[in-house]
Amino acid sequence: MIVATAANSVYANALVAALGVHDVIATRSMWDKDVLIAAIDGENCYGPAKRDMLADHLRTCSIERQAVHIRFFSDHISDQPTFEWADEAIAINPSKRLRRLAQSRGWPILRWR
């Protein structure tokens, strides 16, 4: 399992580790020694960048894309590039635009409460 989020890695890493997940792809912060700077290191893990960061992570782990089955869950239309890259796209509590896209593509829509 990999959690990919636009959330800042400073807190995303801790939250995801508490869930027992080891692989986190998140928006990285800039640091000056041990001082956190209000700037992003690289790209925001959002939109097409999220898909690209996931693909890079697979390559870093020496995992060929064709060798894995990717099931992707999200609630927001900004993740359309990753939904389309995945083998299974599942909309969870989707925004209105994502609901319309999921319905048009035949993707499952789940409501988590």
Side-chain angles (χ1 to χ4, degrees):
M1 178 183 292
I2 301 170
V3 172
T5 177
N8 190 287
S9 63
V10 171
Y11 54 85
N13 290 340
L15 290 171
V16 173
L19 297 173
V21 177
H22 302 287
D23 290 329
V24 181
I25 298 168
T27 302
R28 295 181 310 272
S29 293
M30 297 283 290
W31 293 84
D32 182 8
K33 298 179 184 129
D34 62 346
V35 176
L36 180 62
I37 298 171
I40 293 174
D41 179 10
E43 292 190 72
N44 186 4
C45 186
Y46 184 85
K50 183 179 285 185
R51 178 205 52 219
D52 296 345
M53 292 166 90
L54 282 162
D56 288 344
H57 183 75
L58 292 180
R59 281 190 291 279
T60 298
C61 295
S62 299
I63 299 171
E64 292 184 28
R65 171 63 185 92
Q66 317 81 278
V68 295
H69 182 88
I70 297 175
R71 182 177 296 132
F72 183 73
F73 299 81
S74 179
D75 66 348
H76 200 265
I77 191 71
S78 65
D79 287 320
Q80 182 176 353
T82 306
F83 276 120
E84 292 174 347
W85 176 75
D87 299 299
E88 283 184 71
I90 302 167
I92 306 295
N93 299 339
S95 62
K96 287 180 184 180
R97 287 181 58 205
L98 177 55
R99 175 177 300 284
R100 285 193 302 270
L101 178 65
Q103 289 170 334
S104 74
R105 301 286 173 88
W107 299 337
I109 298 172
L110 301 178
R111 289 189 180 92
W112 288 356
R113 295 178 191 251

